Amino acid sequence: MSAALYRARVFDAPTGPVGEAALRASDDVGLLVRDGIITRRGPWAEVSREPGSRDAVVHDLRDGILLPGFVDTHVHFPQVRAIGGLGRPLLEWLDTCALPEEARMADRAYASAVAQELVHGLASAGTTSALVFGAHFSDAMDVFFETAAGSGLRITAGLVVGDRGLRDDLHTDPATAYAEGLALAQRWHGRGRLRYAVTPRFSLATSDEMLASSAGLLSDVDGAWFTTHINENTREVATVARLFPDARDYLDTYDRHGLITERSVLAHDVQPTDGELARLAASGASVAHCPTSNASLGSGLFPMRRHVEAGVHVALGSDVGGGTGFSLLKEGLQAYFAQQLLGDAGLPLTSADLLHLATTAGARALGLAEVVGHLSEGMAYDAVLLRPPAGSTLETVLRHANDAEDALAKLFVLGTPADVDRVWVAGEDMNDTRLTSTTPKVPLTTLH
Ligand code: GUN
Ligand code: ZN
């Protein structure tokens, strides 16, 4: 790949923790990218004159704002078409909205179409890395990984397993879960930008034997990730306590199998105990905060301050389809709202904190902190160019922003996927054919 030299206004937020993140805003910066890696970052006037820039193709991006690609730490592949199921708490929503749709993934062709929709949805929203909650069918996961590989995105995902509490057609058994998971991991883990994540759905849907099988798979697949749900909804938490009477708490149902490490990402954690927070912090595990889902399903207001004060690492997840779309700008704004609504118990978030959550914090949760999350020298060029249409409210207010922090706040408040102009992963432009939607346009009147 030849070198590329980008001239841009760049915002990133490499330093945390959330609550103390600092915005790094560079108005006229040069980013020299070779083989997908940023080899030089500095004032345009300097970088553009350096000998190393001589052979580079110049891209002038000054009509937008360049951010690091977003990192979504919790998004469900088989729930793209379930987005918008409003009005139900978690367990009813699963029964009526999510699980009937997930059962359709038994059909490989159906799963293939949804996989395309997922990678397209992620890239269109500016998401370049994601920890994706998979499907219950190994064939669906095979086609999903194939699609993810073709997309060029950085995807970590795995077969979702459960052996009780769901629909019969989604249940499996511990031996099959292990065998199918291992076969998928052998085929896809470490291939290109893909990695495998061991994924029991949640303790409500898994026996101890199933969690033991997950632990076996996690230790047998070198470098595999672990993800699941925890402490989302009060009825769910009470049910898990009943199902596991000898567990100290919800976290312990996973922890006593050795599933909680620095390679674990636990979604939600809206209702944690102090003891769970202390053990999460000690383990180095991360929590995927999913604010639109928490609001939509009425799960509650995420105790961000308690997490941060306990030393628990927090990142952002869209939780599609409990969440309301792929945009991490929207998740950032909703994360801000939730903390405002908590009053004194909330953690006031700046726009720099929101950017940090959506990028650097996510990269750390996924073990990619040395690779992506900010646009420093040595990092991969994973980036999103936000460029609001002329005459849009966002474009207008950006022109009147007081400073960079203010402009960034406006991006989170008003930005949508419609403002995503270009997306790169490792220097590859995703606007090339790979991610253009294959779905033909259908008049809305033909839809129900
Ligand atoms: N807990 C178990 N499964 C799910 C799911 O699909 N979505 C959410 N939000 N929580 C869950
Ligand atoms: Zn989820």
Side-chain angles (χ1 to χ4, degrees):
M1 204 185 282
S2 66
L5 180 57
Y6 297 96
R7 181 175 193 179
R9 183 179 189 197
V10 176
F11 291 175
D12 59 5
T15 58
V18 61
E20 296 170 33
L23 175 61
R24 180 168 62 164
S26 313
D27 251 352
D28 191 8
V29 87
L31 293 174
L32 182 63
V33 175
R34 266 183 208 284
D35 299 323
I37 305 292
I38 302 167
T39 56
R40 177 80 174 96
R41 170 181 171 144
W44 172 258
E46 283 175 26
V47 177
S48 58
R49 287 204 196 97
E50 290 167 0
S53 299
R54 235 172 256 144
D55 67 329
V57 178
V58 174
H59 302 264
D60 191 340
L61 308 177
R62 283 175 298 166
D63 52 355
I65 297 176
L66 191 71
L67 307 180
F70 298 132
V71 182
D72 188 340
T73 62
H74 187 72
V75 50
H76 290 253
F77 144 50
Q79 294 181 8
V80 178
R81 297 181 186 185
I83 294 172
L86 302 178
R88 291 185 175 85
L90 174 66
L91 300 180
E92 284 88 331
W93 175 81
L94 282 172
D95 285 345
T96 58
C97 295
L99 301 186
E101 174 64 9
E102 295 209 17
R104 294 186 188 110
M105 302 298 143
D107 176 347
R108 189 181 168 103
Y110 190 96
S112 169
V114 176
Q116 290 283 351
E117 291 159 9
L118 182 94
V119 296
H120 183 70
L122 289 172
S124 309
T127 295
T128 49
S129 300
L131 177 56
V132 178
F133 223 84
H136 285 268
F137 302 96
S138 127
D139 231 26
M141 285 316 294
D142 201 50
V143 79
F144 171 77
F145 277 121
E146 202 174 296
T147 308
S151 77
L153 298 172
R154 297 179 200 274
I155 300 284
T156 305
L159 179 71
V160 177
V161 297
D163 59 354
R164 63 175 167 187
L166 304 170
R167 303 156 49 109
D168 275 351
D169 52 357
L170 297 182
H171 289 150
T172 184
D173 60 79
T176 308
Y178 177 89
E180 290 184 345
L182 187 63
L184 283 165
Q186 283 170 339
R187 179 137 190 233
W188 296 108
H189 182 58
R191 201 156 143 183
R193 298 178 191 132
L194 305 180
R195 292 178 310 173
Y196 196 78
V198 175
T199 314
R201 186 159 200 129
F202 60 161
S203 289
L204 192 149
T206 52
S207 63
D208 257 319
E209 294 70 30
M210 182 60 87
L211 292 170
S213 128
S214 292
L217 186 57
L218 190 60
S219 72
D220 291 348
V221 180
D222 200 27
W225 231 248
F226 174 77
T227 191
T228 189
H229 297 93
I230 195 167
N231 287 325
E232 179 173 1
N233 163 290
T234 49
R235 246 189 80 203
E236 169 214 10
V237 175
T239 308
V240 168
R242 215 170 348 95
L243 291 172
F244 294 87
D246 52 343
R248 282 165 79 177
D249 45 38
Y250 202 149
L251 180 65
D252 193 40
T253 63
Y254 303 125
D255 203 11
R256 62 193 181 162
H257 289 283
L259 292 166
I260 304 302
T261 73
E262 66 284 348
R263 282 182 285 114
S264 306
V265 178
L266 301 155
H268 299 287
D269 208 30
V270 181
Q271 336 273 348
T273 65
D274 288 344
E276 287 174 305
L277 289 175
R279 276 158 30 233
L280 277 173
S283 71
S286 298
V287 166
H289 171 33
C290 305
T292 70
S293 170
N294 292 343
S296 182
L297 302 179
S299 303
L301 296 170
F302 179 70
M304 177 96 72
R305 181 187 284 283
R306 287 178 59 216
H307 280 75
V308 171
E309 286 179 356
V312 180
H313 183 69
V314 177
L316 271 189
S318 67
D319 197 27
V320 159
T324 63
F326 292 103
S327 175
L328 285 201
L329 294 172
K330 177 156 68 169
E331 294 304 329
L333 179 64
Q334 292 292 325
Y336 167 85
F337 285 161
Q339 296 313 302
Q340 290 296 101
L341 290 168
L342 278 167
D344 289 343
L347 183 70
L349 298 175
T350 63
S351 59
D353 289 320
L354 304 186
L355 183 60
H356 182 76
L357 276 171
T359 57
T360 311
R364 165 156 171 217
L366 303 194
L368 298 172
E370 306 300 315
V371 185
V372 296
H374 47 95
L375 297 170
S376 304
E377 288 177 5
M379 306 294 279
Y381 184 70
D382 283 25
V384 52
L385 182 71
L386 297 179
R387 193 166 68 93
S392 64
T393 305
L394 178 54
E395 191 244 0
T396 305
V397 300
L398 280 174
R399 267 193 281 111
H400 297 284
N402 300 320
D403 53 30
E405 286 253 0
D406 189 35
L408 183 60
K410 287 164 166 50
L411 290 178
F412 274 98
V413 170
L414 285 168
T416 74
D419 303 303
V420 170
D421 189 58
R422 290 175 70 180
V423 179
W424 297 263
V425 178
E428 265 185 77
D429 193 333
M430 295 286 112
N431 302 50
D432 294 349
T433 48
R434 309 222 282 184
L435 284 177
T436 45
S437 174
T438 51
T439 314
K441 282 215 171 3
V442 179
L444 282 176
T445 47
T446 67
L447 304 175
H448 46 262

